[in-house]
């Protein structure tokens, strides 16, 4: 959980990262096994970054609505990579919200086939529900339009073949959803160390103001983010 979250304020305010970005899932928000789930809301056009494992579905939906975002306004589920703690709830959200699922093509096949090994569902003694990926990212960088705002999907392979970070600006700050910057690397996940190192160096070069990570929460400030990412090099 982010260290800057305040107490004795409305639930939606506790989740706020910027005026347009909220954390709605992960650990104390939904379930301990969930990676972080982030919500972006641009004047009624909304997207989720990752889905968690899907074991606390109603709690996740309640958290979204606590941020004054209508469920029907969620247009995209932007997946950072195929691993179960980030994607186990993807099929449910696709059906419930009618949103488009976006993922890199190098991870999409494992999601669509329900591969329990490469998605690490076996690590959780679970089975992943297959989900159709509506948009398969292919380039090193691609744009997703959300309302009048552009979100840039950046391919950062290494942790998984199709790992993606999503970049946007909010409240005049550069924000990166860089889930699982910390790894881990494992043969069953098809991790590649040299790609991972190259991707971390790419993230350092972006000069980000706010990093929204999958398990370490929110890191603020360019130098703090550089130190955080470099600690895994």
């Amino acid at each position: 959980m982010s260290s800057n979250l305040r107490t004795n304020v409305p639930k939606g305010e506790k989740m706020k990262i910027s005026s347009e970005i909220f954390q709605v899932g992960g650990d104390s928000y939904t379930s301990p096994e969930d990676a972080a789930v982030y919500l972006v809301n641009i004047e009624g056009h909304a997207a989720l970054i990752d889905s968690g494992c899907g074991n606390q579905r109603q709690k996740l939906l309640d958290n979204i609505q606590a941020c004054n975002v209508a469920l029907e306004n969620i247009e995209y589920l932007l997946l950072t990579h195929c691993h179960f703690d980030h994607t186990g709830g993807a099929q449910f959200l696709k059906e419930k919200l009618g949103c488009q699922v976006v993922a890199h093509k190098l991870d999409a096949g494992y999601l669509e086939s329900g591969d329990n090994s490469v998605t690490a569902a076996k690590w959780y003694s679970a089975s992943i529900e297959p989900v159709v990926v509506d948009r398969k990212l292919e380039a090193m960088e691609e744009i997703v339009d959300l309302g009048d705002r552009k979100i840039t999907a950046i391919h950062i392979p290494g942790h998984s073949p199709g790992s993606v970070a999503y970049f946007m600006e909010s409240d005049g700050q550069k924000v990166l959803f860089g889930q699982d910057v910390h790894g881990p690397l494992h043969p069953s996940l098809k991790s590649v160390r040299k790609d991972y190192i190259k991707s971390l160096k790419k993230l350092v070069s972006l000069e980000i103001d706010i990093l929204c990570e999958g398990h370490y929460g929110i890191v603020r400030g360019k130098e703090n983010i550089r130190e955080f990412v470099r600690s895994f090099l």
Side-chain angles (χ1 to χ4, degrees):
M1 184 186 297
S2 171
S3 60
N4 71 321
L5 297 181
R6 299 165 290 170
T7 57
N8 300 319
V9 294
K11 188 176 183 182
E13 284 295 310
K14 290 183 182 181
M15 301 173 181
K16 184 180 287 188
I17 297 165
S18 77
S19 65
E20 302 165 325
I21 301 172
F22 307 83
Q23 183 171 356
V24 293
D27 198 1
S28 61
Y29 291 88
T30 46
S31 188
E33 68 272 15
D34 286 344
V37 180
Y38 296 103
L39 169 68
V40 178
N41 181 40
I42 308 296
E43 297 182 348
H45 299 272
L48 289 171
I49 291 87
D50 287 344
S51 71
C53 293
N55 296 330
Q56 292 291 337
R57 299 173 176 183
Q58 189 57 51
K59 190 176 289 187
L60 177 60
L61 298 178
D62 290 344
N63 288 344
I64 293 168
Q65 292 173 307
C67 297
N68 296 316
V69 175
L71 299 180
E72 59 267 24
N73 289 349
I74 298 176
E75 300 172 10
Y76 298 106
L77 173 58
L78 305 176
L79 298 178
T80 59
H81 60 295
C82 66
H83 298 160
F84 182 73
D85 52 334
H86 298 261
T87 63
Q91 176 59 23
F92 165 75
L93 291 175
K94 181 181 174 73
E95 290 182 354
K96 178 70 175 180
L97 306 177
C99 57
Q100 292 188 49
V101 175
V102 179
H104 197 278
K105 69 173 184 177
L106 294 179
D107 275 17
Y110 305 117
L111 293 168
E112 294 185 327
S113 66
D115 188 310
N116 291 318
S117 179
V118 180
T119 65
K122 288 182 177 179
W123 293 16
Y124 297 84
S125 300
S127 294
I128 191 165
E129 190 174 2
V131 59
V132 172
V133 176
D134 301 291
R135 177 175 172 182
K136 296 178 175 68
L137 305 168
E138 297 187 34
M140 287 302 297
E141 294 189 7
E142 291 189 36
I143 299 297
V144 178
D145 291 309
L146 186 65
D148 63 359
R149 197 73 55 83
K150 295 186 183 300
I151 299 176
T152 303
I154 304 170
H155 186 206
I156 52 166
H159 177 48
S160 77
S163 288
V164 173
Y166 293 96
F167 168 85
M168 65 177 292
E169 292 194 12
S170 180
D171 296 345
Q173 295 188 299
K174 297 179 180 179
V175 182
L176 186 79
F177 302 95
Q179 305 278 57
D180 286 12
V181 167
H182 64 283
L185 306 181
H186 194 275
S188 71
L189 306 180
K190 299 189 178 297
S191 305
V192 177
R193 179 170 293 277
K194 65 179 179 63
D195 291 342
Y196 172 70
I197 297 300
K198 184 177 179 180
S199 293
L200 292 189
K201 291 179 178 178
K202 169 71 172 178
L203 295 183
V204 169
S205 74
L206 295 176
E207 293 291 314
I208 300 303
D209 299 300
I210 303 174
L211 172 64
C212 301
E213 217 270 346
H215 297 273
Y216 283 78
I218 314 305
V219 184
R220 295 181 184 268
K222 290 182 173 65
E223 186 56 37
N224 290 335
I225 293 168
R226 281 194 292 267
E227 289 181 6
F228 174 78
V229 177
R230 285 172 178 160
S231 72
F232 301 105
L233 283 170

